[in-house]
Amino acid sequence: MNETENKYKYGISKVNSMNSIDIVNWVNIIFTILAAFITLTIWFTLIYSGIRRNNYKWTFRSFTVLNMFFAWMLIILIQNWLSNHFNNDLFNITYKIGFVLLPLTLIALWRVVFMATGDYLRSVLKRKYYRNIFILVIFIYSIVYTFTSGMVTVTSSSEDLVPLERYIEITQTYGPLSPWPSIEFWFPTVNLFGTISLAAVLMMVTITSMFSITIILMVYYWKLRKRLSMKTATSTVGSGVFATLTSFACCTFPVIYPILILFFGSATAEPLLRLITNESGLFINVMQMAVLSLMVFCVIYTGNRINLEVANQRIPPK
């Protein structure tokens, strides 16, 4: 009887394990394809927009970003392939490329943003009111970002293997693309642990800045709402809300574990969490590209909509 029960329990656990693997695989495939589709759609749309307007400088810059993303993905694929062949020399080469590729990609993104809305942003940011909002939003959202992204966490001092004394160390943390210099710290008096890498800071500055730009453009619209059409109001507010959801989605992966357990159970939640926090995985890198693309698109779309309406109604910026 005991042997029969053991076989039955083993069979159930094996089926549950297979179901967990299937769910993780499907999540991986569906969301990777969706993120890749979003990224390609946005940049091909921007490229087409430049060609249609005979703005070849705009087309070239958009095409440059797309090539940067292709190079990013190629490096990840090469690194994953090399991880199965243990070629340390080639690994080091891909890491060195990553040190250059990530900053160049972020610079290319900003060049597109400033080309599309640079004059308009300068006009708005000349005013102290908007500068204060810009700085305040970056400050608040940076704090939110550091905790929700897992860069800084509050840990119970009663847990096993927790050091009794505080420390601050220079280490290395992988992702994106390379093992970046990092600061790791532990302050037991406030139970605060953190690992902040150079790449994480670059990503945080980019995302929080673009989010803040979208917010100040929305505030600028609201100051002119009585003289702008409802159609513009809907599209502007919609893009702002979309930017908010996008920016929060990109940095909340590490804190959704309870939600994963609620929907999928603990057996599936753990491999799902590993999937969405694996910095060397295809999934997380494609998602990062999609998030950056969506943030750029929100800034460009919001700025262009307001700029177009202001130009049509001859309303000077205030």
Side-chain angles (χ1 to χ4, degrees):
M1 185 70 178
N2 290 335
E3 184 179 351
T4 303
E5 289 179 355
N6 288 335
K7 288 182 179 179
Y8 176 75
K9 291 178 180 178
Y10 173 76
I12 293 295
S13 63
K14 188 174 181 180
V15 170
N16 289 337
S17 176
M18 291 295 292
N19 289 337
S20 298
I21 294 173
D22 289 341
I23 291 173
V24 173
N25 288 338
W26 276 110
V27 169
N28 186 12
I29 293 171
I30 292 173
F31 281 93
T32 300
I33 293 175
L34 178 61
F37 175 77
I38 290 172
T39 303
L40 292 174
T41 300
I42 288 174
W43 291 105
F44 277 127
T45 300
L46 294 177
I47 290 171
Y48 172 74
S49 175
I51 294 174
R52 190 181 62 182
R53 298 175 184 177
N54 294 323
N55 189 341
Y56 298 110
K57 190 175 181 180
W58 170 263
T59 302
F60 176 76
R61 288 191 180 180
S62 300
F63 189 68
T64 299
V65 173
L66 189 59
N67 284 335
M68 291 288 186
F69 282 148
F70 278 133
W72 183 336
M73 195 52 28
L74 181 61
I75 292 297
I76 292 299
L77 293 174
I78 291 174
Q79 288 179 353
N80 288 335
W81 181 82
L82 289 174
S83 65
N84 298 322
H85 295 77
F86 306 104
N87 193 321
N88 292 329
D89 293 333
L90 290 178
F91 252 131
N92 292 332
I93 293 174
T94 60
Y95 287 157
K96 291 176 182 178
I97 295 173
F99 289 134
V100 178
L101 183 59
L102 180 63
L104 287 180
T105 302
L106 298 181
I107 291 172
L109 289 170
W110 278 112
R111 282 169 62 84
V112 172
V113 168
F114 283 123
M115 186 174 181
T117 59
D119 293 337
Y120 198 69
L121 286 175
R122 280 191 290 270
S123 176
V124 173
L125 288 174
K126 283 180 180 178
R127 292 154 181 81
K128 185 177 180 180
Y129 176 78
Y130 294 106
R131 286 200 306 272
N132 291 339
I133 294 176
F134 179 74
I135 295 171
L136 181 63
V137 172
I138 288 180
F139 176 75
I140 294 174
Y141 188 56
S142 294
I143 295 175
V144 174
Y145 188 100
T146 54
F147 281 93
T148 57
S149 64
M151 293 167 61
V152 178
T153 57
V154 178
T155 307
S156 174
S157 58
S158 62
E159 294 183 6
D160 296 335
L161 304 178
V162 172
L164 298 178
E165 297 182 356
R166 70 180 182 89
Y167 70 87
I168 301 175
E169 295 180 354
I170 304 298
T171 61
Q172 285 187 329
T173 305
Y174 180 87
L177 296 169
S178 302
W180 296 85
S182 309
I183 297 177
E184 183 177 308
F185 58 86
W186 163 247
F187 300 120
T189 54
V190 289
N191 297 332
L192 198 66
F193 173 80
T195 303
I196 302 177
S197 70
L198 177 60
V201 172
L202 292 175
M203 293 287 286
M204 182 182 71
V205 169
T206 298
I207 292 172
T208 55
S209 298
M210 290 190 184
F211 177 68
S212 184
I213 288 172
T214 304
I215 295 299
I216 63 171
L217 292 179
M218 288 175 58
V219 172
Y220 172 69
Y221 155 73
W222 288 332
K223 289 178 69 67
L224 299 173
R225 63 188 182 276
K226 293 182 180 180
R227 287 182 282 177
L228 297 179
S229 65
M230 185 56 64
K231 182 179 180 181
T232 303
T234 305
S235 61
T236 304
V237 174
S239 63
V241 172
F242 192 66
T244 306
L245 295 176
T246 300
S247 59
F248 273 99
C250 75
C251 65
T252 55
F253 288 147
V255 296
I256 65 174
Y257 186 63
I259 300 175
L260 294 177
I261 291 179
L262 180 64
F263 281 96
F264 300 105
S266 59
T268 306
E270 290 185 8
L272 271 178
L273 188 65
R274 288 195 297 270
L275 172 68
I276 62 181
T277 55
N278 178 18
E279 290 285 352
S280 63
L282 189 67
F283 176 87
I284 190 66
N285 282 276
V286 175
M287 291 295 291
Q288 287 173 333
M289 293 178 197
V291 166
L292 290 171
S293 301
L294 286 168
M295 294 302 297
V296 170
F297 181 77
C298 287
V299 173
I300 294 174
Y301 180 77
T302 307
N304 283 353
R305 288 292 299 182
I306 297 177
N307 196 20
L308 178 63
E309 195 69 24
V310 167
N312 288 340
Q313 300 191 25
R314 296 181 176 84
I315 302 173
K318 292 181 180 180

